[in-house]
Amino acid sequence: MRILFVTPYVPSRIRVRPYYFIKSLSKFHEVSLVSLLCDEYERELTRDISEYCSSIDLVPLSKARAYANCLRALPTLTPLRVAYYRSPAFINTIRHVIHKQQIDVVHGELIKVVPALQSVLAQESIPCLYDSVDCISSYLEQQYSTVRHPLKRVFVFSELQKMRRYEPRALADFHKVTITSAHDRNHLMAQNKDLQHVHVVSNGVDTEYFAPLATSREEDSLVFCAKLDYFPNAQAIQYFCREVLPLIWKQRPQVRLTIVGSNPPQAVRDLGTDERITVTGSVPDVRPYLGKATVALAPLQVAAGMQNKVLEALAMGVPMVATPRACKSLQVKNGTHLLIADEPQAYAEAIKLVLDDPQLAQKLSVAGRAYVEEHHSWIANAHALSELYSSIAVKPEQQELELYPDSSIAGPLG
């Protein structure tokens, strides 16, 4: 089958879901990719994904055009995170690739590509699976509950109201919809009970790549690995350093924290003014930082879908302390696979428990790795996707009937 992936960014080891789906699907399908190019550095990321794609087309989207899209959308009911990515060239490229590569099924990822997909479906008769990944209105509800700045609250509230209207209606336009967790699926379906075509296809982990390292762990070392220009991640580590870390330092002043991730905002960079905190910025490989830490952190206050940062740490056998929101989409058990805590004092106590008890740390390490191996295989999830593609793909006999609706005509005369 010939599959076209449509994404708002170039899939990579940072944007793992489309990257590993394409990698896995390429073993038994022919995959093409059309992606927006919002930042020039992403062009280099195609080197990693290109070996799995029969074709790659990048469509530049300038910030000037994106901001103009948002200005035009301000007085409308379209959420800005949707309007930002509007691009006629994107639509035209998708249509061109559909015909050139003789695509059987289109796979679109994230709500940012919905307008383009809707335009394509209005002009092309082709099955389309939309991967929502997360429930965006659920994410915005959580964000609204945590934002304190008055102007930011007004903005988030406006986006939330628009998204509550836009998201369930948009999803109804696609032949199949996938999402990473039952929690987010239930939230979507509560908004629109007619959404009966939403299927859970969870995230996986490359357990060969994210494997425990042979090196020993550094004592009293904490690590947080995440894409830091994403609001929930930046908010989480600032919250941790402000509310939790001082409680740990009262009893263990020698504890050190390493913050690893691309594009940290200035507020996160400023955390590094304390000599016990290191902010690395972007790194070519997060595994050395995860592998040597005593405890991995996921102190998220806002979380939608499945958190890859949690799965990757568990896969490497790093003891993890997470908030309930960070692992609500997983089948993990508190005290078995990781420790779950919420309030600052409880979170600090959970970390100190792991630091003080090597046997507990080893138990969590082994169980966390085993959990990922059992429940989060990219290949298994790719097979689930493949079955969904097959269920909506137009069969040759169906194409024949569409071309020759008169049942007395079996096919073209010749």
Side-chain angles (χ1 to χ4, degrees):
M1 193 179 298
R2 292 178 291 273
I3 313 298
L4 172 60
F5 263 65
V6 178
T7 63
Y9 46 67
V10 177
S12 68
R13 290 188 184 277
I14 298 173
R15 279 84 175 243
V16 297
R17 187 168 169 89
Y19 176 86
Y20 280 107
F21 276 152
I22 291 172
K23 180 180 178 180
S24 301
L25 288 165
S26 68
K27 299 179 187 300
F28 43 95
H29 294 300
E30 187 176 303
V31 183
S32 295
L33 170 67
V34 175
S35 172
L36 284 171
L37 186 70
C38 298
D39 292 290
E40 193 58 32
Y41 79 88
E42 289 192 79
R43 196 179 295 276
E44 296 182 6
L45 299 179
T46 59
R47 289 181 298 181
D48 291 334
I49 196 69
S50 60
E51 65 178 294
Y52 310 117
C53 296
S54 59
S55 70
I56 295 178
D57 290 83
L58 304 181
V59 182
L61 177 66
S62 69
K63 284 189 167 46
R65 181 178 184 89
Y67 293 148
N69 288 342
C70 290
L71 284 173
R72 284 192 292 269
L74 275 175
T76 74
L77 294 174
T78 302
L80 296 189
R81 71 175 56 227
V82 175
Y84 184 98
Y85 296 90
R86 289 188 184 276
S87 166
F90 193 37
I91 296 166
N92 292 337
T93 302
I94 295 168
R95 295 187 64 203
H96 172 74
V97 174
I98 286 172
H99 292 283
K100 182 180 179 181
Q101 300 293 334
Q102 298 182 312
I103 297 299
D104 296 308
V105 174
V106 174
H107 175 125
E109 194 202 68
L110 293 176
I111 206 157
K112 300 164 183 179
V113 305
V114 162
L117 294 177
Q118 289 173 322
S119 295
V120 169
L121 291 178
Q123 301 171 77
E124 306 288 345
S125 178
I126 189 165
C128 183
L129 179 146
Y130 166 64
D131 186 8
S132 178
V133 183
D134 308 324
C135 176
I136 306 303
S137 52
S138 172
Y139 160 79
L140 288 171
E141 286 171 6
Q142 295 175 64
Q143 186 178 4
Y144 181 69
S145 70
T146 62
V147 170
R148 295 291 172 260
H149 191 284
L151 291 179
K152 288 183 179 179
R153 282 181 64 82
V154 170
F155 172 76
V156 174
F157 181 77
S158 172
E159 284 289 287
L160 172 58
Q161 298 310 307
K162 291 181 178 182
M163 190 60 71
R164 280 174 172 164
R165 178 183 182 276
Y166 183 91
E167 187 173 34
R169 295 186 182 188
L171 268 57
D173 291 340
F174 301 102
H175 300 88
K176 291 289 183 182
V177 175
T178 53
I179 200 161
T180 55
S181 72
H183 178 276
D184 281 43
R185 180 192 60 188
N186 294 340
H187 199 285
L188 273 179
M189 295 178 70
Q191 298 178 78
N192 184 349
K193 299 201 182 326
D194 293 332
L195 290 176
Q196 299 300 315
H197 61 317
V198 182
H199 302 264
V200 175
V201 179
S202 68
N203 281 349
V205 180
D206 184 341
T207 51
E208 293 182 5
Y209 185 81
F210 288 101
L213 300 183
T215 56
S216 59
R217 302 191 187 281
E218 293 182 358
E219 291 186 4
D220 295 310
S221 59
L222 314 179
V223 67
F224 178 71
C225 292
K227 191 171 179 289
L228 292 168
D229 56 359
Y230 181 51
F231 166 78
N233 294 333
Q235 180 202 47
I237 197 59
Q238 290 177 74
Y239 164 84
F240 176 82
C241 291
R242 183 179 65 250
E243 303 292 339
V244 181
L245 196 50
L247 300 176
I248 298 171
W249 278 340
K250 280 184 179 179
Q251 296 182 30
R252 300 179 77 105
Q254 73 276 21
V255 167
R256 303 181 68 86
L257 166 66
T258 303
I259 302 169
V260 182
S262 58
N263 302 320
Q266 190 58 49
V268 174
R269 291 184 184 278
D270 290 344
L271 297 173
T273 56
D274 190 300
E275 63 179 12
R276 292 170 291 184
I277 299 176
T278 300
V279 182
T280 68
S282 180
V283 297
D285 189 348
V286 301
R287 292 175 299 173
Y289 298 91
L290 274 172
K292 68 182 181 181
T294 314
V295 181
L297 309 173
L300 299 179
Q301 306 302 296
V302 175
M306 198 161 286
Q307 301 301 312
N308 294 310
K309 62 181 73 65
V310 175
L311 293 177
E312 290 167 358
L314 294 179
M316 291 195 69
V318 186
M320 162 70 67
V321 178
T323 58
R325 283 175 170 167
C327 52
K328 65 187 175 187
S329 299
L330 305 177
Q331 301 172 51
V332 291
K333 293 182 179 179
N334 182 27
T336 299
H337 305 108
L338 75 175
L339 298 186
I340 301 173
D342 203 0
E343 298 304 317
Q345 187 64 51
Y347 203 97
E349 290 298 331
I351 291 172
K352 287 187 286 185
L353 195 60
V354 179
L355 296 177
D356 290 338
D357 190 342
Q359 289 185 330
L360 172 62
Q362 179 62 18
K363 172 191 166 187
L364 295 176
S365 174
V366 172
R369 171 72 183 186
Y371 165 80
V372 170
E373 290 178 328
E374 181 180 355
H375 294 282
H376 294 281
S377 161
W378 280 119
I379 285 290
N381 290 331
H383 277 291
L385 264 184
S386 189
E387 290 179 7
L388 291 174
Y389 296 152
S390 296
S391 72
I392 61 176
V394 178
K395 307 295 189 296
E397 59 270 22
Q398 291 176 305
Q399 292 177 327
E400 194 170 87
L401 286 172
E402 289 175 4
L403 286 169
Y404 304 99
D406 186 340
S407 59
S408 67
I409 302 176
L413 299 177

